[in-house]
Amino acid sequence: MIPAPFDYAAPTSLAEALSALAEAGDDAKVMAGGQSLLPILRMRLNAPDKVIDLGRIEELRGVREEGDHVVIGAMTTYADVLASDLVRQHAGVLTDAIEEVADPQIRHRGTVGGALVHADPAGDVGAPALALDTEFVITGPGGDRTVAAGDFFVDLFETAVGEGELLTAIRVPKHTGWGSRYEKFVRVAHQWSIVAVAATVRVDGGTIAEARIGLTNMGSTPLRATAVEQALVGKEATEEAVREACAAAAEGTNPPSDLNGDADYRKHLATVLTRRAVLAAAGR
């Protein structure tokens, strides 16, 4: 299908983008990489009066180091994040997850910031962002504000980015020396996650000192498996100990039921995948 007619703006600076957004108001859609928005427009599931394309704003691209954080511009593509040694060294679980995103074509066009704001609970970047205690820099007419990952994802396809605002940067605390793993279960290659688990673990002398675990597609937003995180601390990184701690992986979740599996099936998957991810992240 062909999209309904719309006006198009391609600002070259953040200030221009915010101005265009303020002028258009609710009648505008913001486009990052376009990998989610363009299919929606083509199917006429949404018909905005104006599309504001952020693709020419170079200041929103790139990966840099700022003290104890790795900062990723919101318009940085998946492929550029994969190519970043900084991300691989200090936020390995994000690299692990992005390696599982769709195919090379989409990874070269899609952006990390666009995926996060789209906030599909089956998307692959929300859970590692939670697991890494990421901070999101949101810019609007009043300037910048920073939102913790736990407060960023509000509901299905809804985030803390408000009217007239844009996500501009993702600040990831360094987890240098932590092991990581992203376990994703799908029926066919390149599919949205049926269930996935992002785990990053710090092991000290064979004992799990700290653990962070994010769950994909186990509710209307990405979720943290806090009960498992707490249960793992102080445990030996053995299969038996990890299996026992990960039994609580599905606690507090509300996964969907659909053609790919019902809620109970997904809860079982979450337990299995969490155990696998933790063991792999711990080097077992």
Side-chain angles (χ1 to χ4, degrees):
M1 294 178 66
I2 299 173
F6 56 82
D7 291 331
Y8 174 80
T12 57
S13 71
L14 178 57
E16 288 180 12
L18 291 172
S19 177
L21 192 56
E23 180 182 344
D26 290 340
D27 295 326
K29 279 290 184 183
V30 174
M31 184 169 70
Q35 302 307 291
S36 297
L37 179 61
L38 290 178
I40 290 171
L41 296 182
R42 291 186 64 184
M43 291 185 287
R44 299 204 178 193
L45 297 176
N46 200 302
D49 290 340
K50 190 169 191 174
V51 171
I52 301 171
D53 183 355
L54 306 183
R56 299 181 185 179
I57 306 178
E58 289 301 320
E59 63 192 283
L60 297 183
R61 297 184 184 275
V63 180
R64 64 184 185 275
E65 192 172 14
E66 285 188 2
D68 293 331
H69 289 76
V70 175
V71 181
I72 303 170
M75 285 296 294
T76 307
T77 64
Y78 293 123
D80 286 341
V81 174
L82 284 178
S84 170
D85 291 335
L86 278 176
V87 177
R88 191 173 296 274
Q89 179 181 358
H90 301 298
V93 72
L94 185 58
T95 299
D96 296 343
I98 290 176
E99 286 176 340
E100 298 296 326
V101 171
D103 54 41
Q105 182 177 356
I106 287 176
R107 290 195 293 270
H108 277 81
R109 290 293 303 170
T111 66
V112 175
L116 288 165
V117 175
H118 184 55
D120 189 324
D124 292 308
V125 291
L130 275 179
L132 291 166
D133 289 319
T134 299
E135 300 172 341
F136 299 92
V137 180
I138 298 171
T139 305
D144 295 342
R145 61 188 181 96
T146 301
V147 177
D151 299 319
F152 182 78
F153 301 102
V154 176
D155 205 341
L156 185 69
F157 299 114
E158 183 182 353
T159 70
V161 179
E163 183 178 345
E165 294 183 321
L166 296 170
L167 176 65
T168 51
I170 300 107
R171 293 177 51 84
V172 185
K174 290 180 178 178
H175 287 67
T176 314
W178 291 50
S180 64
R181 181 73 165 207
Y182 188 70
E183 285 283 342
K184 178 175 179 176
F185 184 83
V186 294
R187 293 190 184 279
V188 295
H190 308 155
Q191 187 184 26
W192 293 100
S193 297
I194 296 174
V195 175
V197 176
T200 186
V201 175
R202 183 171 67 85
V203 177
D204 186 3
T207 299
I208 297 175
E210 295 180 86
R212 302 286 184 271
I213 298 166
L215 305 177
T216 299
N217 211 14
M218 289 297 291
S220 60
T221 67
L223 299 172
R224 278 279 287 271
T226 53
V228 175
E229 294 174 356
Q230 295 165 6
L232 284 168
V233 174
K235 294 286 180 67
E236 292 186 10
T238 64
E239 183 161 353
E240 182 178 353
V242 170
R243 181 188 296 272
E244 180 182 352
C246 291
E251 280 188 10
T253 65
N254 185 28
S257 293
D258 56 29
L259 292 175
N260 287 312
D262 63 17
D264 288 340
Y265 175 62
R266 283 184 159 91
K267 288 181 179 181
H268 169 71
L269 280 177
T271 302
V272 173
L273 296 179
T274 300
R275 182 182 76 245
R276 291 178 183 175
V278 170
L279 285 169
R284 294 295 188 267

